[in-house]
Amino acid sequence: MNTAPTSAPPAAEPEHETDRVPEQAHASAPPRWLTDEEQRVWRSYIEASTLLWDHLDRQLQRDAGMPHVYYGLLVKLSDAPHRRLRMTELAMLAKITRSRLSHAIARLEKNGWVRREDCPDDKRGQFAVLTEQGVQVLRDTAPGHVEAVRQAMFDRLTVEQQQALGEIMQIVAEGLQPSEAGADLPWLR
């Protein structure tokens, strides 16, 4: 596979943010343009992930009246011991900002699917707890959601492609979550 960067910026109006030419390029480090194949892969990924997220979000809105991110929060809580997690841990697991989590939990509380509890060890900390009503919503919603995921993704891939995709996404996710202090991660904002 040719991994050499392309020699010039795209001539046409950029379609994606990664296609844009920075106004001031660093003189010591020329841009590493994507090859034609890398550009094809990148754009395919963007299109597929955007369409998949939209497909799953619409299915959940239609069937349960909630966006995909809320469903993911309910699932994370259902998987947790005693169906409860500290808010900071839930933000980390969901890969979202604390502000977005707080807003989402407020909406889920309003629906009666989650409740907050104060943390006895930390007066500033709180737990998010999945209620029985929230468990029932998951039981009712999960079959349709799993079918939507299966039809949109897994039914289209061979077992080998599924394994490769899982390995690739794990590598990308791990690379975007540095462990050093000061890392700019959503749940730390």
Side-chain angles (χ1 to χ4, degrees):
M1 175 185 356
N2 180 3
T3 58
T6 57
S7 59
E13 179 64 26
E15 291 183 24
H16 299 286
E17 66 280 356
T18 57
D19 298 342
R20 295 197 183 280
V21 178
E23 296 207 10
Q24 292 181 341
H26 296 290
S28 61
R32 294 179 1 162
W33 300 110
L34 298 178
T35 65
D36 290 344
E37 180 61 13
E38 289 169 336
Q39 192 70 260
R40 184 194 66 75
V41 169
W42 174 247
R43 289 178 181 181
S44 293
Y45 166 78
I46 293 295
E47 289 175 18
S49 62
T50 300
L51 290 168
L52 180 62
W53 192 264
D54 179 70
H55 175 74
L56 297 176
D57 201 56
R58 284 183 296 115
Q59 177 268 321
L60 286 165
Q61 288 285 4
R62 181 186 64 241
D63 293 354
M66 75 173 104
H68 194 236
V69 71
Y70 291 11
Y71 180 83
L73 293 171
L74 296 179
V75 168
K76 300 238 182 299
L77 289 171
S78 75
D79 290 343
H82 310 291
R83 299 188 313 223
R84 66 187 248 169
L85 288 167
R86 286 196 56 148
M87 293 284 282
T88 52
E89 185 178 1
L90 184 54
M92 182 189 70
L93 291 171
K95 312 298 186 224
I96 61 176
T97 64
R98 292 177 287 192
S99 173
R100 185 171 185 194
L101 175 66
S102 183
H103 176 73
I105 293 297
R107 295 289 305 272
L108 293 170
E109 278 183 300
K110 187 176 177 182
N111 290 342
W113 301 341
V114 170
R115 73 174 180 276
R116 293 184 210 221
E117 292 179 354
D118 290 333
C119 179
D121 302 339
D122 179 0
K123 295 300 177 195
R124 296 182 334 166
Q126 286 189 318
F127 287 98
V129 182
L130 184 64
T131 65
E132 287 302 322
Q133 191 177 355
V135 170
Q136 191 58 50
V137 165
L138 274 178
R139 285 185 186 132
D140 294 343
T141 307
H145 183 63
V146 169
E147 187 58 29
V149 169
R150 182 167 298 289
Q151 287 178 352
M153 188 166 160
F154 292 104
D155 288 351
R156 300 170 193 273
L157 302 174
T158 66
V159 172
E160 293 80 15
Q161 289 170 325
Q162 292 173 27
Q163 290 170 343
L165 181 62
E167 291 169 8
I168 291 165
M169 291 297 101
Q170 185 173 353
I171 290 167
V172 172
E174 288 172 358
L176 292 171
Q177 298 178 84
S179 57
E180 65 265 4
D184 184 23
L185 298 166
W187 56 93
L188 298 177
R189 288 185 232 136

PDB file of all heavy atoms in Angstrom, residues 2-8 31-35 38:
ATOM      1  N   ASN A   2       0.546   2.200  -0.821  1.00  0.00           N
ATOM      2  CA  ASN A   2       1.299   3.449  -0.904  1.00  0.00           C
ATOM      3  C   ASN A   2       0.862   4.359   0.234  1.00  0.00           C
ATOM      4  O   ASN A   2      -0.284   4.745   0.313  1.00  0.00           O
ATOM      5  CB  ASN A   2       1.049   4.102  -2.253  1.00  0.00           C
ATOM      6  CG  ASN A   2       1.797   5.405  -2.396  1.00  0.00           C
ATOM      7  OD1 ASN A   2       2.540   5.794  -1.504  1.00  0.00           O
ATOM      8  ND2 ASN A   2       1.598   6.066  -3.512  1.00  0.00           N
ATOM      9  N   THR A   3       1.768   4.673   1.134  1.00  0.00           N
ATOM     10  CA  THR A   3       1.436   5.541   2.268  1.00  0.00           C
ATOM     11  C   THR A   3       2.077   6.904   2.159  1.00  0.00           C
ATOM     12  O   THR A   3       2.023   7.689   3.093  1.00  0.00           O
ATOM     13  CB  THR A   3       1.870   4.889   3.591  1.00  0.00           C
ATOM     14  OG1 THR A   3       3.267   4.648   3.531  1.00  0.00           O
ATOM     15  CG2 THR A   3       1.102   3.604   3.851  1.00  0.00           C
ATOM     16  N   ALA A   4       2.683   7.207   1.041  1.00  0.00           N
ATOM     17  CA  ALA A   4       3.319   8.511   0.857  1.00  0.00           C
ATOM     18  C   ALA A   4       2.251   9.598   0.807  1.00  0.00           C
ATOM     19  O   ALA A   4       1.193   9.419   0.217  1.00  0.00           O
ATOM     20  CB  ALA A   4       4.121   8.520  -0.434  1.00  0.00           C
ATOM     21  N   PRO A   5       2.494  10.730   1.464  1.00  0.00           N
ATOM     22  CA  PRO A   5       1.506  11.804   1.434  1.00  0.00           C
ATOM     23  C   PRO A   5       1.382  12.395   0.036  1.00  0.00           C
ATOM     24  O   PRO A   5       2.333  12.359  -0.740  1.00  0.00           O
ATOM     25  CB  PRO A   5       2.048  12.834   2.427  1.00  0.00           C
ATOM     26  CG  PRO A   5       3.494  12.522   2.561  1.00  0.00           C
ATOM     27  CD  PRO A   5       3.681  11.070   2.224  1.00  0.00           C
ATOM     28  N   THR A   6       0.217  12.909  -0.249  1.00  0.00           N
ATOM     29  CA  THR A   6       0.062  13.579  -1.532  1.00  0.00           C
ATOM     30  C   THR A   6       0.887  14.846  -1.511  1.00  0.00           C
ATOM     31  O   THR A   6       1.165  15.418  -0.476  1.00  0.00           O
ATOM     32  CB  THR A   6      -1.417  13.909  -1.815  1.00  0.00           C
ATOM     33  OG1 THR A   6      -1.923  14.705  -0.752  1.00  0.00           O
ATOM     34  CG2 THR A   6      -2.252  12.656  -1.962  1.00  0.00           C
ATOM     35  N   SER A   7       1.294  15.306  -2.678  1.00  0.00           N
ATOM     36  CA  SER A   7       2.236  16.417  -2.741  1.00  0.00           C
ATOM     37  C   SER A   7       1.568  17.781  -2.717  1.00  0.00           C
ATOM     38  O   SER A   7       2.221  18.766  -2.488  1.00  0.00           O
ATOM     39  CB  SER A   7       3.092  16.287  -3.996  1.00  0.00           C
ATOM     40  OG  SER A   7       2.260  16.281  -5.132  1.00  0.00           O
ATOM     41  N   ALA A   8       0.289  17.842  -2.942  1.00  0.00           N
ATOM     42  CA  ALA A   8      -0.356  19.154  -3.006  1.00  0.00           C
ATOM     43  C   ALA A   8      -1.728  19.095  -2.351  1.00  0.00           C
ATOM     44  O   ALA A   8      -2.347  18.051  -2.297  1.00  0.00           O
ATOM     45  CB  ALA A   8      -0.498  19.586  -4.460  1.00  0.00           C
ATOM     46  N   PRO A  31       2.638  19.655   5.679  1.00  0.00           N
ATOM     47  CA  PRO A  31       1.451  18.839   5.972  1.00  0.00           C
ATOM     48  C   PRO A  31       1.610  17.432   5.407  1.00  0.00           C
ATOM     49  O   PRO A  31       2.201  17.247   4.351  1.00  0.00           O
ATOM     50  CB  PRO A  31       0.318  19.563   5.262  1.00  0.00           C
ATOM     51  CG  PRO A  31       0.881  20.779   4.659  1.00  0.00           C
ATOM     52  CD  PRO A  31       2.350  20.786   4.841  1.00  0.00           C
ATOM     53  N   ARG A  32       1.104  16.489   6.132  1.00  0.00           N
ATOM     54  CA  ARG A  32       1.109  15.098   5.659  1.00  0.00           C
ATOM     55  C   ARG A  32      -0.264  14.824   5.046  1.00  0.00           C
ATOM     56  O   ARG A  32      -1.161  14.325   5.703  1.00  0.00           O
ATOM     57  CB  ARG A  32       1.372  14.143   6.820  1.00  0.00           C
ATOM     58  CG  ARG A  32       2.741  14.283   7.415  1.00  0.00           C
ATOM     59  CD  ARG A  32       2.953  13.354   8.574  1.00  0.00           C
ATOM     60  NE  ARG A  32       1.778  12.512   8.825  1.00  0.00           N
ATOM     61  CZ  ARG A  32       1.761  11.398   9.524  1.00  0.00           C
ATOM     62  NH1 ARG A  32       2.854  10.965  10.080  1.00  0.00           N
ATOM     63  NH2 ARG A  32       0.672  10.711   9.713  1.00  0.00           N
ATOM     64  N   TRP A  33      -0.427  15.175   3.789  1.00  0.00           N
ATOM     65  CA  TRP A  33      -1.707  15.014   3.124  1.00  0.00           C
ATOM     66  C   TRP A  33      -2.085  13.540   3.074  1.00  0.00           C
ATOM     67  O   TRP A  33      -1.233  12.672   3.010  1.00  0.00           O
ATOM     68  CB  TRP A  33      -1.658  15.575   1.706  1.00  0.00           C
ATOM     69  CG  TRP A  33      -1.319  17.030   1.687  1.00  0.00           C
ATOM     70  CD1 TRP A  33      -0.161  17.580   1.247  1.00  0.00           C
ATOM     71  CD2 TRP A  33      -2.124  18.101   2.162  1.00  0.00           C
ATOM     72  NE1 TRP A  33      -0.194  18.940   1.415  1.00  0.00           N
ATOM     73  CE2 TRP A  33      -1.394  19.296   1.981  1.00  0.00           C
ATOM     74  CE3 TRP A  33      -3.388  18.187   2.735  1.00  0.00           C
ATOM     75  CZ2 TRP A  33      -1.878  20.539   2.326  1.00  0.00           C
ATOM     76  CZ3 TRP A  33      -3.878  19.431   3.089  1.00  0.00           C
ATOM     77  CH2 TRP A  33      -3.135  20.583   2.884  1.00  0.00           C
ATOM     78  N   LEU A  34      -3.379  13.293   3.089  1.00  0.00           N
ATOM     79  CA  LEU A  34      -3.860  11.926   2.953  1.00  0.00           C
ATOM     80  C   LEU A  34      -3.661  11.455   1.512  1.00  0.00           C
ATOM     81  O   LEU A  34      -3.876  12.224   0.574  1.00  0.00           O
ATOM     82  CB  LEU A  34      -5.352  11.842   3.318  1.00  0.00           C
ATOM     83  CG  LEU A  34      -5.719  12.221   4.753  1.00  0.00           C
ATOM     84  CD1 LEU A  34      -7.229  12.128   4.941  1.00  0.00           C
ATOM     85  CD2 LEU A  34      -4.997  11.362   5.765  1.00  0.00           C
ATOM     86  N   THR A  35      -3.289  10.199   1.380  1.00  0.00           N
ATOM     87  CA  THR A  35      -3.205   9.622   0.041  1.00  0.00           C
ATOM     88  C   THR A  35      -4.625   9.465  -0.490  1.00  0.00           C
ATOM     89  O   THR A  35      -5.603   9.590   0.256  1.00  0.00           O
ATOM     90  CB  THR A  35      -2.518   8.248   0.074  1.00  0.00           C
ATOM     91  OG1 THR A  35      -3.352   7.348   0.811  1.00  0.00           O
ATOM     92  CG2 THR A  35      -1.126   8.314   0.682  1.00  0.00           C
ATOM     93  N   GLU A  38      -6.195   6.736   1.533  1.00  0.00           N
ATOM     94  CA  GLU A  38      -6.529   7.195   2.888  1.00  0.00           C
ATOM     95  C   GLU A  38      -7.741   8.121   2.859  1.00  0.00           C
ATOM     96  O   GLU A  38      -8.623   8.036   3.722  1.00  0.00           O
ATOM     97  CB  GLU A  38      -5.331   7.912   3.514  1.00  0.00           C
ATOM     98  CG  GLU A  38      -4.202   6.978   3.878  1.00  0.00           C
ATOM     99  CD  GLU A  38      -2.925   7.705   4.250  1.00  0.00           C
ATOM    100  OE1 GLU A  38      -2.726   8.874   3.814  1.00  0.00           O
ATOM    101  OE2 GLU A  38      -2.109   7.113   4.982  1.00  0.00           O
TER     102      GLU A  38
END
